[in-house]
Amino acid sequence: MCGIIGYCGPKPAANVLVEGLRRLEYRGYDSAGISVLKEGNLTVFKKKGKINDLKSILPDHINGKSGIGHTRWATHGEVNDINAHPHTDVSGRIAIVHNGIIENFTSLREKLVEEGSEFKSETDSEVIAHLISSLYDGDLERSVKQAVQLLKGTYGIIVMHADEPGLLVGARNGSPLVLGVGDGEMFLASDVTAIIAHTKQVIYIEDGEVVRITADDYATTDLKDRPVDKKIEFISWELEEIEKEGYSHFMEKEILEQPESIRRGMQGRIDLEFATGHLGGLNMTSQELINIERVKIIAAGTSFHAGMVAAYLLESIARLPATAELASELRYRNPIVERNTVYFAVSQSGETADTLYAMRELQRKGARVLGVCNVVGSTIPRESDGGVYIHSGPEIAVASTKAFTSQLTAFYLFSLIMARMRHMGTDTGLSFIKNLESVPERVAEIIDRRDQLLALARKYSGAKDFLFLGRGINYPVALEGALKLKEISYIHAEGYSAAEIKHGPIALINETTPSMFLVPEDSLRDKVITSMKEVKARRGPVIALAVDGDQEIAGIADDVFYVPQSHELTYPFLMVVPLQLFSYYCALELGRNVDQPRNLAKSVTVE
Ligand code: AGP
């Protein structure tokens, strides 16, 4: 989704902005622009395409010391230079960048047009520039405050005025905004990756707050002009973590990092003495935990698939009723909040609008919602009633990989805690821990075998359609495999329970539609084999993910990728990693933009 950045300081603003926009590229975008205040006037450069396209229209030296920048992910109006941000008012003295959606822009626009404003773009965002202009009386901060009170929808904005050089004003409602506090320089941005190269001291701006920055100072107030005291927080991520460090793609780096990221997610969270887990961030006493009668998990995309695995696991080992639901659907069905139910909002970014709004809806109804998030300081963990940081490190590729296995890690620990409280004995607890602790090493073995997945990708990447089929705890992993393949290779892929193919999808099977079967050694293995045979009988090509030593599968499938033997409940980790690699290699074979696939955004901050 859109990324925004603002800078005030001694450096040439254009350079800082363009570098910041590069770091925001991972969010997904289709055009970019900057505005810099130079010799009393605003200069605006904006261009459809990538940051390099924007760079190609920038003069060699732009001396301005303050400015704003934007990467646009189109919602209102097609992708072109005019619809790109920044947008200016009629006088060209006010410029704004906006992340979010203004829902009442049509009525505001009509009114402003009647009053003489001339609009250049088709965007909802441009209305903000004209609105501020219509209210401006020499005090930018005041007019921003008045303007945002007339907006309906979501926004993270940064505004500048040529008459107030060296000042930027930011405001937030529903879209992230962070202030970076530097030494003689200040930053505003939609996320910390844009500014981490300059400062690690940040202040998270909340909904309803307005921030003003100059090179040496900042102030945060609410819409009624009351000062808001904010705490400076320290970002623990290192700059190297958001760089490729020699890998071809962030996705490759992030897949290969998983042995380490899974291990990190367990660190300090295993209590061998009592054979349980320890998740201090839940903010729940043992009494409160034992009183939980039901768990409901809400999320979107890959995080939803992790939630589905978690629900299966909680029921299986903790005997605790658990379900996972798409946050976007839950929000609009007037959910019933039951007593003694704990909700988890799962989100890598912690900013996904569907998940955030569903969480707020639940909280308004009195639910306790815990976050399972990666990005420290993001909105979901800040607004949740507690939770778990998954500590997978920055995930930059649009396709989520290591966050999925880290989300699983967090839920495996939570399930262990609940199981041990409810009925699981010490010995079983210890063996569960042993199995979990062996996962990173087994994932590393799979990574060592990745050449075989490259060969499979070469053989199958020409397919137009693909099926991914699994059962039980691996059924959500099949869904995840299909999502991964379609989002980065654009091959049409569907995930199903293997049992379901006979209820419809088998009609798709022919010589050119491959099926990827997940066949771990578990109680459903024989049932999956039956489904495989049904596909083979219809001449469908079959690839199987099976467990070392399972020769029977080799006799049925056209190709087999073997994963190391493990405990049956840990196979989701071992099945998903080959699927991630397979998708990655298919996308490479097809020459796709792996890290920034078309039409997608990393953090989906609009509904
Ligand atoms: C995953 O590869 C996707 N890009 C997407 O489905 C993602 O998982 C979803 O948008 C949810 O994001 P979140 O985890 O940041 O909430």
Side-chain angles (χ1 to χ4, degrees), residues 10-177:
K11 298 172 186 151
N15 297 352
V16 177
L17 297 173
V18 170
E19 180 214 326
L21 292 181
R22 268 202 199 290
R23 299 212 186 273
L24 290 174
E25 281 192 296
Y26 79 98
R27 293 172 70 97
Y29 72 110
D30 43 56
S31 46
I34 61 167
S35 176
V36 172
L37 182 64
K38 195 185 152 205
E39 290 154 13
N41 290 308
L42 295 181
T43 49
V44 178
F45 304 93
K46 44 194 203 171
K47 192 79 190 141
K48 166 184 169 178
K50 295 290 171 193
I51 303 297
N52 280 346
D53 299 304
L54 170 65
K55 273 201 90 176
S56 71
I57 60 159
L58 294 181
D60 283 347
H61 300 289
I62 316 172
N63 290 325
K65 305 280 191 233
S66 60
I68 57 181
H70 188 268
T71 49
R72 175 173 187 248
W73 188 84
T75 56
H76 295 64
E78 67 176 81
V79 178
N80 60 31
D81 295 352
I82 294 171
N83 288 335
H85 298 214
H87 292 290
T88 50
D89 70 329
V90 179
S91 70
R93 303 203 55 81
I94 294 177
I96 67 107
V97 286
H98 167 227
N99 172 23
I101 289 180
I102 303 305
E103 286 159 10
N104 60 337
F105 85 99
T106 311
S107 56
L108 288 172
R109 186 175 168 133
E110 279 165 9
K111 187 163 171 287
L112 288 159
V113 168
E114 267 170 37
E115 290 167 9
S117 293
E118 280 172 32
F119 282 72
K120 295 184 270 291
S121 76
E122 305 156 280
T123 65
D124 55 330
S125 308
E126 189 183 347
V127 81
I128 303 170
H130 295 281
L131 190 58
I132 294 170
S133 176
S134 72
L135 297 162
Y136 186 70
D137 61 356
D139 183 336
L140 183 61
E141 187 180 348
R142 188 164 54 219
S143 52
V144 168
K145 282 179 182 163
Q146 289 167 350
V148 295
Q149 293 185 61
L150 301 172
L151 300 177
K152 289 206 177 87
T154 54
Y155 55 83
I157 53 169
I158 312 176
V159 189
M160 62 195 294
H161 197 304
D163 294 349
E164 298 182 58
L167 169 75
L168 298 182
V169 178
R172 169 192 164 140
N173 183 50
S175 303
L177 187 63

Side-chain angles (χ1 to χ4, degrees), residues 211-222:
V211 53
R212 56 176 287 136
I213 62 166
T214 57
D216 308 305
D217 205 7
Y218 66 85
T220 45
T221 46
D222 66 14

Side-chain angles (χ1 to χ4, degrees), residues 300-303 346-350 352 398-400 407 483-484 487 604:
T302 291
S303 298
V346 189
S347 173
Q348 185 285 131
S349 61
T352 298
V398 163
S400 188
Q407 288 162 345
L483 174 63
K484 227 52 333 147
E487 75 178 322
V604 185

Side-chain angles (χ1 to χ4, degrees), residues 242-291:
I242 58 165
E243 289 183 338
K244 279 194 210 135
E245 292 183 303
Y247 291 94
S248 310
H249 299 95
F250 281 110
M251 186 178 179
E252 181 193 24
K253 178 182 176 217
E254 288 158 10
I255 293 173
L256 302 192
E257 272 173 0
Q258 288 177 104
E260 190 41 43
S261 54
I262 297 169
R263 210 170 275 131
R264 203 165 43 234
M266 292 182 219
Q267 242 161 38
R269 290 173 164 177
I270 287 177
D271 177 345
L272 283 176
E273 195 183 343
F274 295 104
T276 188
H278 172 72
L279 296 170
L282 296 178
N283 293 338
M284 292 179 77
T285 62
S286 306
Q287 206 54 53
E288 286 172 322
L289 285 170
I290 197 67
N291 284 337

Side-chain angles (χ1 to χ4, degrees), residues 251 298-305 345-356 372-375 380 395 397-401 403 407 480 483-484 487-488 597 600-604:
M251 186 178 179
I298 56 164
T302 291
S303 298
F304 171 61
H305 299 151
V346 189
S347 173
Q348 185 285 131
S349 61
E351 299 292 352
T352 298
D354 289 328
T355 311
L356 174 64
V372 175
C373 298
N374 188 33
V375 179
I380 291 175
E395 192 182 67
V398 163
S400 188
T401 54
Q407 288 162 345
E480 176 59 10
L483 174 63
K484 227 52 333 147
E487 75 178 322
I488 59 165
L600 290 178
K602 179 67 182 164
S603 153
V604 185

